[in-house]
Amino acid sequence: MKIENPNPIQWQFSERAQQLQSSFIREILKITQRPEIISFAGGLPSPATFPVERMKEAYDRVLSNAGKVALQYGPTDGYGPLKEWIANSLSTEGTKILPEQILMVSGSQQALDLIGKVLIDEGSRVLVETPSYLGALQAFSVYRPELGSVATDDHGLVPASIEPVADGARLLYSLPNFQNPTGRTLSIERRRELVETCARLGLPLIEDDPYGALSYKGEPMPKMVAMNPDGVIYMGSFSKVLTPGIRLGYVCAPLPLVRRLELAKQAADLHTAQLTQMVVHDVVKDGFLDQHIPSIRTLYGNQCQAMLDAMDEHFPAGVTWTRPEGGMFIWVTLPQHIDAMKLLDQAIAARVAFVPGAPFYANDPETNTLRLSFVTVPPERIREGIAILGKLIAAAM
């Protein structure tokens, strides 16, 4: 029986809830689901890379051999054998990572939220690259920090620009490998300088590394966590090398911090799905990724080259773009007077989509920038879409 309510509830949302904003990219993706749209907007891995049969076999094995364990509650910090596998994969000849330093999380986005919850107070200073990953800006903004922008150039984050803005900062967030959104990669020299600068300033450094394995040449760069495991928080994910649908990531952090993150996770969701962790461990434990990742690199490398070739042919003079050596993104800079947000409206009308660059900036957005993703679009559609976009840009010049 439905009760009549003469006084509808007037929801009193918290100040934090009132400040929440939808991800601009997620909103664009709603538009680009139409099949006629050539979408360079999504940061989604290619479904062609998902090891469906391997995952199916692993689910069958885990449920057949250890189903009652897999379907039970699990420890907050994660499934022990998978944590050990991750710790071994992060360890180097000079740096030993312990399984106790690993916290399994429900995708890297949860890691960002937990780090914000543990390290950020309202008004805390948080340093980010210019531009930075939109998901990180969104996760940190919930805790109302003061976001400080660290300078970048064509080679990524500029370590020398940190100290002038570092006073009182709680952390520095970085994506050193094939950065989202720019596709840029930090050199070994800059990595060392970045780690040394943060260590000297006593500034915690977040190394977010979802794309590090996706070097087209198959030569991953050294991890900064190995250079200073006491000062670097490393974030990894299985989304780009297996499948994003499993929502499985991990954090490697110094023991005092990882314990606080674990407590925050207990309050959030008790633990990440035990079944998922056991399945992923079954998939990766015998070296499957060493066979699987090269095929992803080849696919993405070929599609990146198809886009770069099409841009060389169709984009007018005065437009510049990055030439990534891995990952999923190309960053485009238009002439100063062209607003990428307005260009997007024209592009969608012409059945092409991209992500304007402005939302990726914590401060002083550059409205003449945009991000292109190529991994879910076949080469012939890439060429068609870039030709259309090139005509629109030329008309706006």
Side-chain angles (χ1 to χ4, degrees):
M1 176 179 174
K2 184 178 179 181
I3 298 174
E4 294 298 325
N5 185 1
N7 297 304
I9 295 174
Q10 301 299 313
W11 296 103
Q12 297 296 312
F13 294 117
S14 67
E15 290 184 20
R16 177 175 294 158
Q18 293 179 50
Q19 291 188 342
L20 293 176
Q21 296 182 358
S22 175
S23 166
F24 186 80
I25 295 175
R26 307 305 295 185
E27 294 302 315
I28 291 178
L29 290 180
K30 293 178 184 178
I31 300 172
T32 60
Q33 296 304 307
R34 303 201 305 264
E36 72 272 15
I37 298 287
I38 301 174
S39 178
F40 304 133
L44 311 176
S46 171
T49 68
F50 299 163
V52 176
E53 289 304 315
R54 185 81 178 204
M55 295 292 290
K56 180 181 178 182
E57 293 167 1
Y59 272 102
D60 287 343
R61 276 192 299 271
V62 170
L63 289 171
S64 297
N65 299 331
K68 291 183 178 179
V69 175
L71 296 176
Q72 183 56 279
Y73 285 113
T76 300
D77 58 327
Y79 180 56
L82 181 57
K83 289 178 55 178
E84 184 173 1
W85 183 90
I86 292 168
N88 289 337
S89 71
L90 292 177
S91 296
T92 63
E93 186 174 335
T95 303
K96 175 66 175 175
I97 300 297
L98 303 174
E100 293 78 15
Q101 292 177 255
I102 306 299
L103 175 67
M104 304 306 302
V105 291
S106 300
S108 293
Q109 197 66 21
Q110 186 184 46
L112 292 167
D113 178 66
L114 295 177
I115 289 169
K117 190 173 293 183
V118 168
L119 293 181
I120 301 174
D121 290 315
E122 184 174 352
S124 298
R125 190 163 180 74
V126 171
L127 304 183
V128 296
E129 298 169 299
T130 307
S132 186
Y133 170 49
L134 180 57
L137 299 179
Q138 191 175 25
F140 294 153
S141 67
V142 173
Y143 302 101
R144 303 193 207 174
E146 175 199 339
L147 293 175
S149 298
V150 175
T152 62
D153 60 19
D154 289 341
H155 305 286
L157 186 149
V158 180
S161 69
I162 296 172
E163 189 163 2
V165 296
D167 187 34
R170 294 286 181 90
L171 61 89
L172 168 60
Y173 173 75
S174 70
L175 290 100
N177 295 314
F178 320 122
Q179 192 232 27
N180 181 359
T182 66
R184 297 165 178 157
T185 298
L186 279 185
S187 66
I188 294 176
E189 293 74 22
R190 283 201 179 182
R191 287 167 198 254
R192 291 197 187 101
E193 186 181 355
L194 175 56
V195 172
E196 290 170 356
T197 299
C198 289
R200 176 169 51 82
L201 296 173
L203 178 63
L205 172 62
I206 298 178
E207 179 182 12
D208 192 358
D209 191 24
Y211 311 105
L214 303 182
S215 166
Y216 304 149
K217 297 179 181 178
E219 300 172 359
M221 298 290 279
K223 294 176 172 57
M224 294 187 291
V225 67
M227 301 177 188
N228 183 19
D230 294 329
V232 176
I233 305 162
Y234 182 87
M235 291 171 45
S237 171
F238 291 99
S239 291
K240 307 305 186 295
V241 295
L242 282 179
T243 161
I246 56 175
R247 303 310 302 133
L248 188 61
Y250 54 91
V251 182
C252 174
L255 291 175
L257 175 59
V258 82
R259 176 57 179 162
R260 292 289 180 177
L261 294 172
E262 181 182 349
L263 293 174
K265 182 173 171 62
Q266 281 181 7
D269 66 355
L270 299 182
H271 70 95
T272 297
Q274 179 96 325
L275 172 60
T276 302
Q277 295 181 71
M278 292 177 70
V279 166
V280 168
H281 179 254
D282 184 274
V283 170
V284 303
K285 63 185 175 65
D286 295 324
F288 171 71
L289 291 182
D290 293 334
Q291 310 159 30
H292 180 60
I293 290 175
S295 65
I296 304 176
R297 292 170 177 157
T298 299
L299 176 66
Y300 289 4
N302 289 341
Q303 290 182 201
C304 179
Q305 192 59 55
M307 181 170 279
L308 290 172
D309 289 345
M311 293 167 76
D312 286 337
E313 179 178 355
H314 296 289
F315 276 18
V319 180
T320 60
W321 54 89
T322 57
R323 294 183 175 271
E325 297 180 351
M328 301 165 53
F329 306 108
I330 295 173
W331 185 247
V332 180
T333 302
L334 305 170
Q336 195 71 38
H337 70 278
I338 300 179
D339 187 332
M341 200 74 73
K342 295 178 180 178
L343 183 67
L344 176 63
D345 293 334
Q346 301 171 27
I348 290 176
R351 303 196 306 275
V352 176
F354 57 83
V355 180
F360 295 98
Y361 290 84
N363 303 291
D364 303 320
E366 296 184 11
T367 58
N368 62 320
T369 57
L370 59 93
R371 190 194 74 178
L372 300 174
S373 179
F374 44 80
V375 300
T376 59
V377 188
E380 62 275 11
R381 294 272 280 173
I382 288 175
R383 288 188 284 271
E384 179 185 353
I386 291 298
I388 293 171
L389 191 53
K391 290 179 181 178
L392 293 174
I393 295 172
M397 295 181 70

